[in-house]
Amino acid sequence: MLAEAAPLRFAVLGDSFSEGVGDRAAGAWRGWAALLADGLAGPGQRVEYVNLAVSGALSADVAAHQAPRAVALRPHLASVVVGVNDTLRHGFDIGLYARRLDRVLGALDAAGAVLLTACLPDPGRMLGLPAPLARPLARRRRSVNAVVHALSARRGAVHLHLADPAWTDDRRLWSADRLHPGERGHRAVAGAFHRLLAERGLARGPAPSPEASEPPPTRAETALWLATAGTGWVLRRSRDLLPQLLLLAGEELLHRGDGTGPGTLDARAETALAAALAATMGG
């Protein structure tokens, strides 16, 4: 048990979800992690909060750059939420992802940190993509979430199921791009983590308020975002993901046309997932 006056160190690793994209306050991204940090400390205690998350980060970036910095901080709590950007790359490899995440979680666990993790919503479903485009992304997301679930259980992580319909079906929680939470969504994530941590005696301050403190973006502001930052995101992903995604969609249609359906592709993904889990879990 920490001494009453000792600071509680909280390190945040990941991508734009943990950087706080979608929740702007005082001209900067705030996000669920900052909201959660405000409710961690008990009376007479302070929180040392360090957010290392970077928009666009892959599991390789977290493993190579963010994790060593986080381990050096000797955090008491460390959140690791990464994987969406991996699924949106043509070179997606569930085996590599599993090894990187296992290495990151293992290093933080060995440093004494209580881990916070979350599984991912389906980007194809969130974006409303047509089925031939959405299915390959959903297949990748299922594989990533299976790895996250297994490694979180192995390390005793505080885990949040963000792929559940209660999260994905409530559009009020999501920003204009449909991939990042808005302020209400970030507050909901912070509140859910706070409840889970409080059950373990690890959150001793007040729970974050679920009520938004900033007005929602106007239609004009949403349109401006989609025309500027949103368009930039699409163009960056189009250069990398779109050609491969079209090939995957073609493969989906080919299997449907020859009568085999998606079963062959599902089986291929399951085989790769089983190999990834066997390599990281030792079974």
Side-chain angles (χ1 to χ4, degrees):
M1 181 67 68
L2 293 173
E4 188 70 6
L8 189 152
R9 295 185 294 277
F10 177 29
V12 178
L13 296 76
D15 52 30
S16 56
F17 170 77
S18 296
E19 185 185 24
V21 172
D23 176 29
R24 186 172 292 279
W29 297 127
R30 176 179 51 187
W32 68 266
L35 293 165
L36 174 62
D38 289 341
L40 291 175
Q45 189 179 37
R46 60 187 175 87
V47 173
E48 294 180 352
Y49 164 68
V50 179
N51 194 329
L52 303 171
V54 177
S55 182
L58 304 166
S59 59
D61 302 314
V62 173
H65 307 297
Q66 297 179 24
R69 294 175 61 191
V71 168
L73 297 171
R74 307 293 295 184
H76 301 103
L77 298 175
S79 68
V80 182
V81 183
V82 66
V84 166
N85 292 311
D86 290 74
T87 68
L88 297 173
R89 295 299 193 275
H90 76 276
F92 174 74
D93 184 322
I94 192 60
L96 280 176
Y97 174 82
R99 290 194 293 275
R100 290 164 181 158
L101 185 63
D102 185 46
R103 188 162 70 247
V104 171
L105 296 180
L108 290 164
D109 186 29
V114 173
L115 300 168
L116 282 66
T117 62
C119 56
L120 312 172
D122 180 354
R125 183 168 178 268
M126 297 298 294
L127 290 169
L129 297 179
L133 293 174
R135 273 197 296 267
L137 292 180
R139 198 174 287 120
R140 291 178 174 190
R141 188 269 307 175
R142 287 195 299 270
S143 294
V144 165
N145 283 350
V147 167
V148 172
H149 291 155
L151 295 181
S152 296
R154 180 185 188 183
R155 302 288 179 184
V158 176
H159 181 72
L160 196 57
H161 293 274
L162 289 178
D164 287 354
W167 291 97
T168 58
D169 290 352
D170 190 347
R171 292 298 186 187
R172 296 172 302 171
L173 301 179
W174 298 91
S175 63
D177 66 4
R178 296 191 178 186
L179 283 177
H180 299 99
E183 182 187 354
R184 189 178 295 275
H186 278 284
R187 287 185 174 276
V189 171
F193 268 129
H194 189 277
R195 286 192 295 274
L196 294 173
L197 288 167
E199 290 171 3
R200 297 194 186 190
L202 297 171
R204 303 172 62 194
S209 170
E211 299 302 324
S213 61
E214 301 290 331
T218 65
R219 289 185 178 182
E221 289 170 337
T222 297
L224 178 62
W225 186 93
L226 291 171
T228 55
T231 300
W233 184 90
V234 170
L235 290 175
R236 289 192 298 274
R237 292 294 75 78
S238 295
R239 288 195 296 269
D240 183 47
L241 173 69
L242 189 56
Q244 177 69 7
L245 193 56
L246 291 175
L247 288 175
L248 292 173
E251 194 173 19
E252 294 277 343
L253 294 173
L254 178 64
H255 279 278
R256 174 180 289 186
D258 65 14
T260 59
T264 300
L265 300 176
D266 291 340
R268 185 190 304 169
E270 289 296 326
T271 298
L273 172 60
L277 292 175
T280 52
M281 303 293 289

